[in-house]
Structures are given as C-alpha cells and as structure tokens.
Amino acid sequence: MYSESDIDAAVAGGILGPDQAAAFRGFVAAGRPISAVDEEHFRLLTGFNDIFVGLAALILLVAVAWIGQYVPPQIGGDGPSPFLGLFVAVTAWGLAEFFTLKRRMALPSIILTLAFLTGIFVFAAVTIVIAVGESYMESPREVFMVLSASAAITAGAAWLHWRRFKVPITIAAGAAAAVALVIGLVATPMVRSGERLTDAEVDSVHFILEVTALVLGLLTFLFAMWWDASDRRRQTRRSDVAFWLHLLAAPLIVHPVFWLLGLTEGGASIGSAIAVVLLYVVMAVLALAIDRRAILVSALAYVLWAINMLFRESGAVELSVALTALVIGSALLLLSAFWPNARRGVVAPLPEGLQARLPLLDRPATRIVPA
C-alpha cells in the first residue's frame, strides 16, 4: 500500500511526473462515492509508524529535558536550568535531520518542530533571567521584557528551522512567537517596575492587550490567506502552512471579539447570547468562503454557552446542556455533510476579483507535490 508521502517522494525523485501523480490521484478519487475536494486535507499521519516514532521521540525528549534540568546553573539553585531547553532543542533538531529530512514523517516532524522551538524559548528565557539576576524579575514589566526577548530569539530560530526542514507548522509557530514579541513590547511600557497597578490600570492594560491580540489575529489571518491564495488548488505544502496559520489566527480573533462584547465575564444577558449566535453564523459564512473550519472550532465554546443560556431562559434548565449539544452537533454535522454545496452558494455570488483570491470551487481532490 502506498501513502501520499511515497507518491510525493516519487515525484520529488523524478520517478513520477506531476501530471502522472495528478492522474493517479484523480483516478483514486474518482472511485470514491463522495469527493474529498472540500475535506481540508493536511498531513498529520503517513501511517501508524508516525505514532510509534512520535511517542518514542516524546519519551526521549522528556528524558533529555529531565537530565538538563539538573545541570547547573539553575534559577534559585533548584529552579529551571537553561540546559533543559538547550538539550531538548539540540535533540529535536538532530532527530529532525533523519525523521523529517530523510523519512518525511508528518507527526514526528510536527512534534520535533514544536519541541525545538519550545526548547529554544525556555533556553533563552532562563538564560536571560540568570544573566540579569533573579531579583530583576520582581514585577510584570521585567516579565514582559524577558518574554519579548525570548520570543524574538524563538522567531529567529523558527526561520532557521523553516529554511532547513520546511515543516508547515514552523511558519505558524514562528508567527506565534512574533505575536508574543509584539504583545510583550506593547505591555512593557504600560507597567511600572516595583509598583502595583490600580484596578483601573489593570483594566486599561487588559483592553489594550485584547485589541492588540485582535489586530495581530487579523494580520495572521491575512498572512494565512496569502499562503492560501498562492495555492488555490491546495496541492502543495503551502496549503498546510495556511492551515496552521488559520488555526493560530482563529483564537486570536475570536477571543478578543467576544471579550470586547463583554461575553467572557460570566454575566451576559439574553441579548448577548443572541449576538453570539448571530456572530457565529457570520463566522460560518466566512469559514465557507475561505474553506477553513478553524474559526468555527475556536468559537465553539462561546456558541455552546450562548445556546445553553437561551435554553435556560426558555425554561429548559434541566435539559439545557443536552439540547445545546443536540443543536450544535446536528448543525455542524449537516454543515460538514453539505459543505461543498453550501460553499458554492456562498462563493458563487461574490465578485470575480474576490473569488480569484479564494480556494477554487472545482479542484483536484488531493495534493500533487510539495512546494
């Protein structure tokens, strides 16, 4: 049995031409009772061996982190050691040289990428704290400064990792580091060293950070759309890069929007619940237009809360949770079942200029080559 990665490797090695691979995949897709064109494919598993190797890699990474924790210097004498992060990062990079570059294994590559960048962040943060002194970290201002510096280093490491391994999730991880960098830079001037903020100041800082997160989420979304627009047929790893970026952008957009509407404080009204449902409908239309489901998943907790409140207000207190799950589960399953038709109904009326930037309505069901 041949996997997608085997076909990709055959194309990369010149054994098969792109047209031959496309014809083969089209032949396989034509034999399916339902087209896979709108299933939003991305590479996570190439076989059970991915799970096997992923678990083994996690065990090894935990072991080297544990060993690194006991290598001095340490924060406070028994706190984190910079070698904890360094050992994890070096090990993850070394394993990626084989399992990512040579074996092209999807899940282990994702695990090793995240482990490498987490290790770099921990190494940078702990090293900075030890270098400047623990007493320096007595206020939120210093914490934000260390966050910014560590995030900047992690973003640079993500760029180097992408240049070497081209793992799609690396771009999103680097973007997350850039988001942390900007948030840290925005927050640093708003807090004072050695002084407590008043409640009004805390609210002001919170508001500014939520707005910042929203802006960064929108920028990340546009960045994801740029990757999507460069592969409207979703045949290359560019589509996978866009998938992970959308997965990052969705919570950055959704949470601030609902927070700014006052829906995260726990005392919202029936009107707020209705507003959540209507907003979720708008998000569903957007998800159909761009053919991405991430934003629906990110907002799911809010809409579950909103519909649960609506059932409670209508008197169905005891069955509110069950009825909420029934409504949302049924709606999402129906949307999934009729996704291609629903998407056609959303995209077809749009201007041609906008349609030209969205994924094609009629495109091959599976990817052709990495690029």
Side-chain angles (χ1 to χ4, degrees):
M1 181 176 180
Y2 303 103
S3 67
E4 285 290 316
S5 60
D6 293 328
I7 300 175
D8 290 342
V11 173
I15 305 300
L16 292 176
D19 293 339
Q20 292 174 309
F24 175 73
R25 285 175 167 123
F27 172 77
V28 173
R32 297 176 177 174
I34 298 176
S35 174
V37 66
D38 285 299
E39 292 182 359
E40 196 172 356
H41 290 281
F42 74 100
R43 290 186 62 195
L44 182 61
L45 293 173
T46 55
F48 187 79
N49 196 35
D50 277 40
I51 300 175
F52 180 79
V53 173
L55 288 174
L58 283 173
I59 293 171
L60 179 59
L61 291 168
V62 170
V64 297
W66 201 314
I67 294 170
Q69 167 62 26
Y70 291 96
V71 178
Q74 297 167 300
I75 297 178
D78 58 355
S81 166
F83 288 98
L84 182 157
L86 181 61
F87 285 4
V88 168
V90 171
T91 302
W93 185 287
L95 292 174
E97 290 287 341
F98 179 75
F99 291 108
T100 300
L101 278 186
K102 297 185 181 299
R103 295 292 301 276
R104 300 180 182 275
M105 303 182 75
L107 181 60
S109 296
I110 293 171
I111 293 173
L112 294 174
T113 298
L114 296 178
F116 170 75
L117 294 176
T118 302
I120 291 295
F121 181 86
V122 171
F123 172 71
V126 175
T127 300
I128 293 171
V129 172
I130 292 176
V132 301
E134 299 167 44
S135 59
Y136 182 73
M137 304 295 296
E138 293 180 351
S139 77
R141 180 184 180 88
E142 283 70 36
V143 173
F144 281 122
M145 293 177 69
V146 172
L147 170 66
S148 300
S150 303
I153 294 171
T154 305
W159 180 80
L160 292 174
H161 194 278
W162 169 255
R163 296 285 295 178
R164 176 64 175 168
F165 299 109
K166 295 291 193 300
V167 180
I169 198 175
T170 309
I171 299 295
V179 167
L181 168 62
V182 174
I183 290 177
L185 292 176
V186 170
T188 299
M190 295 189 295
V191 293
R192 300 181 295 273
S193 298
E195 297 183 26
R196 292 180 60 86
L197 297 178
T198 65
D199 291 341
E201 289 174 328
V202 170
D203 291 341
S204 177
V205 171
H206 195 180
F207 174 80
I208 293 174
L209 292 183
E210 291 287 354
V211 172
T212 301
L214 176 59
V215 172
L216 292 173
L218 292 173
L219 291 175
T220 304
F221 174 78
L222 293 175
F223 188 38
M225 290 304 300
W226 179 81
W227 283 90
D228 260 341
S230 67
D231 181 21
R232 297 178 62 218
R233 293 181 179 274
R234 293 195 174 167
Q235 295 175 326
T236 72
R237 67 161 59 95
R238 286 179 160 273
S239 176
D240 290 350
V241 172
F243 168 82
W244 292 110
L245 284 170
H246 280 295
L247 209 60
L248 171 64
L252 288 173
I253 295 172
V254 169
H255 179 78
V257 167
F258 286 114
W259 184 88
L260 292 170
L261 292 174
L263 304 176
T264 60
E265 303 300 323
S269 64
I270 188 72
S272 299
I274 295 174
V276 171
V277 175
L278 294 177
L279 189 56
Y280 197 70
V281 172
V282 174
M283 291 177 178
V285 173
L286 176 62
L288 286 166
I290 65 175
D291 199 12
R292 294 292 184 186
R293 297 156 178 81
I295 195 168
L296 294 179
V297 175
S298 295
L300 194 55
Y302 296 100
V303 76
L304 285 171
W305 163 86
I307 295 181
N308 182 63
M309 173 174 283
L310 290 176
F311 280 123
R312 283 179 174 273
E313 290 295 326
S314 65
V317 177
E318 296 180 352
L319 292 176
S320 61
V321 175
L323 291 174
T324 299
L326 177 65
V327 170
I328 292 299
S330 300
L332 292 180
L333 286 174
L334 284 172
L335 182 61
S336 177
F338 297 100
W339 186 274
N341 294 332
R343 183 165 186 265
R344 187 176 299 277
V346 169
V347 175
L350 296 177
E352 291 185 3
L354 182 56
Q355 289 189 39
R357 298 179 178 275
L358 298 175
L360 296 177
L361 289 171
D362 299 307
R363 61 182 191 269
T366 51
R367 72 192 67 223
I368 293 178
V369 293

